[in-house]
Amino acid sequence: MNEKFDQRYLYFNFILKNPVAFRDFFAKDIYGKNYKTRLYQYAPAFADDKIFRAGRTLGKSVDLVLSVIQYVILDSASEFIVTTFRKTHLRDRMEQIIKFFKVSKIFSSLLDGRGVSRQPIYEVRFKNRNILYGISVGDDPQAVSIQGKHAKRRFIDEAQAYTMPAYIQFQEARDERESHDCFYGVPDGRIGTPFTLKNFISNARFKDGIF
């Protein structure tokens, strides 16, 4: 009995901490079917800091959603930010994350009893003292809602549409002790935006994290 329990514990510990195993095991709770991480998605899955530049249907959104979920489970007493330019994109990602924690037989109890706030920004609290913020800057060009946050892990979706004034404010919304950035977007040819590759190519943080 003890040996069987120990094996199950080891298997589950591996699934929780290995990004690919985590995605393949838990993604069905969101998407309603078995999910299989493709080989070209392995490297982004393992990167703590990343610039994920790709076209549609290549797994950017899945990587963002499952990364946030995994970090929220494994970290404690930390802040997280998911931010986009458009509310529609933010709503899609945040509702997928919330759905996971509400339907999961294993992790539903991790949600704090105070519930989920969706206005004026998303705020999701967890019993491990993590706080997840979801902030759209489309109606807030100076990103006032981001100010005062101290996020350990920060995610920008549809980063090609993110404005420079909002990005400047975004830079201050990080935990001085440790922070990680994951930016997702389509390389659509726009220049002079925060998502332009030249802004990251010489940044040591993204040395092994540009995809």
Side-chain angles (χ1 to χ4, degrees), residues 22-78:
F22 186 91
R23 284 156 172 72
D24 291 349
F25 191 84
F26 287 114
K28 61 181 179 291
D29 288 343
I30 300 174
Y31 303 105
K33 58 183 178 180
N34 290 333
Y35 177 83
K36 181 65 177 176
T37 305
R38 304 296 187 262
L39 288 177
Y40 66 83
Q41 297 170 327
Y42 274 45
F46 279 95
D48 270 337
D49 298 273
K50 72 190 83 172
I51 308 296
F52 199 158
R53 305 167 76 249
R56 306 296 179 187
T57 73
L58 290 178
K60 300 189 303 298
S61 298
V62 173
D63 187 271
L64 185 155
V65 170
L66 272 298
S67 292
V68 172
I69 292 171
Q70 186 177 24
Y71 289 135
V72 164
I73 292 170
L74 295 178
D75 288 345
S76 63
S78 299

Side-chain angles (χ1 to χ4, degrees), residues 177-189:
R177 297 167 298 179
E178 178 185 0
S179 66
H180 299 278
D181 292 332
C182 299
F183 303 153
Y184 304 81
V186 177
D188 59 2

